Amino acid sequence: MQENPLPVALARSVEDFRRYLDSERARSAHTVRAYIADVENLLRFAAAEGVEKLADLELGTLRRWLGAQSESGRSRATLARHAATARAFTSWALREELIASDPALRLQAPKRDHTLPGVLHQQQVSRIFENLSEAAADGSPMPLRNRAVVELLYATGIRVGELAGLDIDDLDPDRRTLRVLGKGNKERTVPYGVPAALAVDDWLRRGRPRLANERSGPALFLSSRGNRIDQRQARSVVNDLLAALGDTAATGPHALRHTAATHLLDGGADLRAVQEILGHSSLATTQIYTHVSVDRLRKSYQQAHPRA
C-alpha cells in the first residue's frame, strides 16, 4: 500500500534537512538515510494529525508519535534514537527560522539498555591468529589479506567502515601508525603493533600485487576481483573466524573493536588515550569498556575465589 505524500511544506523541510546533513554535518550515507527515515516517519504521523507546516508541530504530537512507536513494539534503543532524531530536526528547524520555538526541548524517551558488548578472551584471540597464520602459510592472496585485515582491526580498534576506506598511503610503516578518516570526516592517527605491521607488509608484498588491477586504485585492501574491499566482505571474514571458535557469542568486526578497547584498559591504558584511539567524541562512550573490564574481573573472581 502506497503511503500518502507529505504536505508540500513538510516534504520540502525533509529535503532541506537532508542537504544539511550531507553538506554541513558531513554525515555518512547510512546515517543520513536513518535520520531521514525517522524524520519522514515523524512528519507522516504529524500530517495525519493535521499538521501541514513545521510551525504547527507541537510537543504533544512528538510525544504521541513516540507512544505509537512504543506500542508497535519498538525497543528502548530505537525509541531513544527516534527522540534524538526529532531533537536534531527541530533544533535545525529553529536555526533555520522555520519554527518560532523548539517543541522537542522537553521531549524524553526511555533510556537505552546499556548491554555490555561481546569481548573475546586473549586465548580466543590467539586461536584466531593461529588459524589465520595456518591459512596464510601457502602464500595465497586471500588468506594473506584476511590475516592483515584482522590483525589491523584488533591492533587499532578501528571500525570496519574505516578499514574499508584505507589507502596504502594512510600507513606510516616507520612509525607504525595509521591515518583514519572517522565519523564526521574527523581524521585521527592510530598506532599499531609489530604483528599487524608484519601481516600488512606480507599482504602488500605477496598478496596485493596478485589481485591488483586497473580498478584497485590506492585501496589498501582488495576483493578477489581487485576492487576495494567492502564492509560486507570484511564482516564475513570476521564472522567466519568467530563462528569457528565455537565458544563465543561475539559476532562481527565490532567485537574486535570492543575486544581491543577492553584489552587496552585491562593492560593499564589511560581512558582518554583509548578514547582517542577509538575516535569517540565523548568520553562517556569509552567508559562502557571500563564496565566490561570490571564485569570480566568479577566473573574471574567468582570462578577462582573459594569464598566468592
Side-chain angles (χ1 to χ4, degrees):
M1 181 177 178
Q2 189 173 6
E3 294 177 319
N4 294 327
L6 286 171
V8 173
L10 296 184
R12 186 183 304 119
S13 69
V14 173
E15 291 309 309
D16 290 344
F17 186 56
R18 187 197 305 272
R19 282 192 289 272
Y20 162 74
L21 294 173
D22 278 332
S23 58
E24 296 186 35
R25 296 301 299 275
R27 299 291 189 181
S28 70
H30 174 77
T31 300
V32 170
R33 284 195 299 270
Y35 268 66
I36 295 303
D38 288 350
V39 168
E40 287 181 337
N41 187 300
L42 164 62
L43 294 184
R44 289 189 189 283
F45 182 90
E49 291 197 343
V51 174
E52 294 189 352
K53 57 184 184 297
L54 286 187
D56 298 330
L57 196 60
E58 298 177 345
L59 176 60
T61 300
L62 298 177
R63 286 173 170 167
R64 288 189 292 275
W65 171 62
L66 283 182
Q69 298 293 310
S70 178
E71 290 175 3
S72 69
R74 303 291 187 185
S75 68
R76 288 199 291 178
T78 299
L79 293 175
R81 193 198 77 206
H82 285 336
T85 299
R87 286 191 289 268
F89 178 64
T90 57
S91 176
W92 164 81
L94 183 65
R95 289 195 303 273
E96 296 295 314
E97 300 182 350
L98 300 175
I99 54 178
S101 60
D102 189 343
L105 284 177
R106 292 186 290 128
L107 182 65
Q108 295 182 342
K111 292 184 178 180
R112 293 176 182 264
D113 293 320
H114 289 292
T115 55
L116 296 177
V119 172
L120 301 171
H121 294 285
Q122 291 186 10
Q123 297 91 331
Q124 292 172 317
V125 174
S126 296
R127 282 161 52 202
I128 285 175
F129 288 122
E130 287 171 4
N131 294 337
L132 285 166
S133 294
E134 288 177 6
D138 67 355
S140 299
M142 299 308 288
L144 289 172
R145 184 205 67 180
N146 293 346
R147 182 178 61 177
V149 161
V150 178
E151 283 279 13
L152 211 54
L153 285 172
Y154 174 64
T156 62
I158 60 176
R159 303 173 179 93
V160 66
E162 295 169 344
L163 176 123
L166 290 175
D167 291 336
I168 295 174
D169 62 4
D170 289 325
L171 293 168
D172 185 339
D174 294 331
R175 297 170 60 197
R176 292 206 305 272
T177 59
L178 189 66
R179 184 175 64 241
V180 181
L181 190 63
K183 289 185 175 181
N185 285 335
K186 293 181 180 178
E187 187 177 291
R188 68 186 190 278
T189 300
V190 182
Y192 57 90
V194 173
L198 293 174
V200 171
D201 180 66
D202 202 16
W203 154 248
L204 289 175
R205 285 188 300 103
R206 298 197 296 155
R208 191 183 185 280
R210 293 164 64 183
L211 296 178
N213 56 41
E214 66 278 1
R215 298 188 302 273
S216 303
L220 175 58
F221 293 116
L222 305 178
S223 70
S224 59
R225 297 185 176 182
N227 300 311
R228 179 184 294 274
I229 193 174
D230 62 31
Q231 295 186 38
R232 178 187 56 79
Q233 293 165 333
R235 286 194 185 95
S236 179
V237 169
V238 177
N239 281 332
D240 288 346
L241 288 166
L242 295 179
L245 286 177
D247 58 357
T248 179
T251 59
H254 231 62
L256 293 179
R257 179 170 164 85
H258 297 324
T259 300
T262 303
H263 289 179
L264 281 167
L265 290 168
D266 284 348
D270 178 75
L271 188 63
R272 289 197 178 275
V274 176
Q275 176 192 6
E276 181 68 21
I277 289 170
L278 297 180
H280 288 156
S281 57
S282 168
L283 189 64
T285 307
T286 315
Q287 283 175 328
I288 188 174
Y289 299 106
T290 64
H291 303 155
V292 174
S293 294
V294 170
D295 185 58
R296 284 155 59 88
L297 179 63
R298 185 182 299 111
K299 287 180 179 178
S300 297
Y301 177 85
Q302 290 172 344
Q303 291 172 358
H305 199 286
R307 296 181 68 84

